[in-house]
Amino acid sequence: MCVNFTPPTAQQIRQHFGYEVEDGLWKPDCWQDYTAPIITRDGLKLATYGFVPKRHLPPGVRLTTMNARAETIGEKPTYKGAWRKAQLCLVPMQAFFEPCYESGKAVRTRISLTSGEPFAVAGMWREWPEDGGGVSHAFTQITINADDHALMRRMHKPGDEKRSLVIVGPDQYQVWLACHDAEVARSFLNHYPAELMTAAAAPLPRKAGSVDNQQLI
């Protein structure tokens, strides 16, 4: 599933999402444990990509929490508490990246909107107590099955289940954020129209490792 995306610029956050924010607070590309902007019902926050940041994992434990499956989000110990409290968020981005195997090998593919505008995907957030008495924030993206989506079913290895992030339309931003019922929140977890999305081969990332390995981090 998605482990890398391009956040909006600070200017795009101001212009498209309506939140005042300083420049230079996050990197141009977001990977596990990087900081990125998210939007909650309380406003814009900076949060760590991955529901359980590496610094909060027990020694020797590896856990990938960048994506939460919609089908089990209310059952998994990692997510169920925040899901039942409907700690929902929007994750703004310009594009996200997936491997496409239509050529016979993994091709890093940039997925964005045909309009070229930034967009937001459905996510969930939580707080973490930090040494010294401070509090940090972390987030995960919610995914759904994409076997029947004209674009997203093209991604990932042949034979693997197809998954997709949930793009939330601008007219649904505030309704999603205001939702306090987890089961009602499920009604938002639908596919964005494929004709409004575009996919194109993208240069290899600056992060070390193959596209396939990045998918499994």
Side-chain angles (χ1 to χ4, degrees), residues 101-160:
Y101 284 80
E102 290 178 334
S103 66
K105 61 181 180 180
V107 174
R108 185 172 187 254
T109 302
R110 183 181 190 272
I111 299 166
S112 59
L113 299 189
T114 55
S115 66
E117 295 181 339
F119 56 95
V121 305
M124 192 170 65
W125 69 279
R126 64 160 294 172
E127 293 183 342
W128 284 97
E130 300 291 349
D131 293 341
V135 174
S136 66
H137 302 93
F139 71 95
T140 187
Q141 299 164 150
I142 301 173
T143 71
I144 56 177
N145 179 275
D147 288 344
D148 297 323
H149 191 267
L151 189 150
M152 295 307 300
R153 70 186 181 192
R154 297 168 48 199
M155 304 299 141
H156 301 293
K157 288 182 179 178
D160 284 359

Side-chain angles (χ1 to χ4, degrees), residues 4-217:
N4 172 218
F5 66 91
T6 302
T9 64
Q11 182 177 0
Q12 287 174 323
I13 290 287
R14 292 189 290 265
Q15 292 180 344
H16 188 82
F17 297 97
Y19 293 91
E20 288 300 320
V21 64
E22 297 177 17
D23 295 332
L25 296 181
W26 56 85
K27 296 181 180 180
D29 293 294
C30 189
W31 298 90
Q32 184 178 12
D33 257 34
Y34 282 28
T35 297
I38 63 170
I39 300 169
T40 73
R41 62 177 64 101
D42 298 320
L44 188 79
K45 301 180 186 294
L46 295 181
T48 299
Y49 185 23
F51 214 57
V52 184
K54 290 180 181 178
R55 64 185 178 277
H56 288 287
L57 289 173
V61 173
R62 295 187 65 191
L63 182 65
T64 300
T65 55
M66 291 172 285
N67 301 289
R69 294 172 63 93
E71 297 87 345
T72 58
I73 196 170
E75 304 165 8
K76 294 291 185 181
T78 301
Y79 304 116
K80 66 181 182 181
W83 175 250
R84 291 170 185 174
K85 295 176 183 176
Q87 291 176 197
L88 308 177
C89 70
L90 293 166
V91 185
M93 56 183 69
Q94 299 181 57
F96 59 94
F97 299 88
E98 301 284 9
C100 180
Y101 284 80
E102 290 178 334
S103 66
K105 61 181 180 180
V107 174
R108 185 172 187 254
T109 302
R110 183 181 190 272
I111 299 166
S112 59
L113 299 189
T114 55
S115 66
E117 295 181 339
F119 56 95
V121 305
M124 192 170 65
W125 69 279
R126 64 160 294 172
E127 293 183 342
W128 284 97
E130 300 291 349
D131 293 341
V135 174
S136 66
H137 302 93
F139 71 95
T140 187
Q141 299 164 150
I142 301 173
T143 71
I144 56 177
N145 179 275
D147 288 344
D148 297 323
H149 191 267
L151 189 150
M152 295 307 300
R153 70 186 181 192
R154 297 168 48 199
M155 304 299 141
H156 301 293
K157 288 182 179 178
D160 284 359
E161 182 192 5
K162 311 305 179 183
R163 305 290 299 178
S164 177
L165 301 182
V166 178
I167 298 176
V168 180
D171 61 333
Q172 296 293 301
Y173 287 173
Q174 295 306 316
V175 184
W176 165 256
L177 293 175
C179 182
H180 287 271
D181 186 318
E183 292 312 307
V184 172
R186 288 189 183 278
S187 66
F188 290 85
L189 303 181
N190 302 306
H191 284 295
Y192 203 69
E195 62 271 20
L196 301 181
M197 302 168 65
T198 185
L204 291 175
R206 290 183 287 271
K207 189 179 175 77
S210 69
V211 172
D212 207 30
N213 285 340
Q214 289 153 16
Q215 181 189 349
L216 300 176
I217 289 175

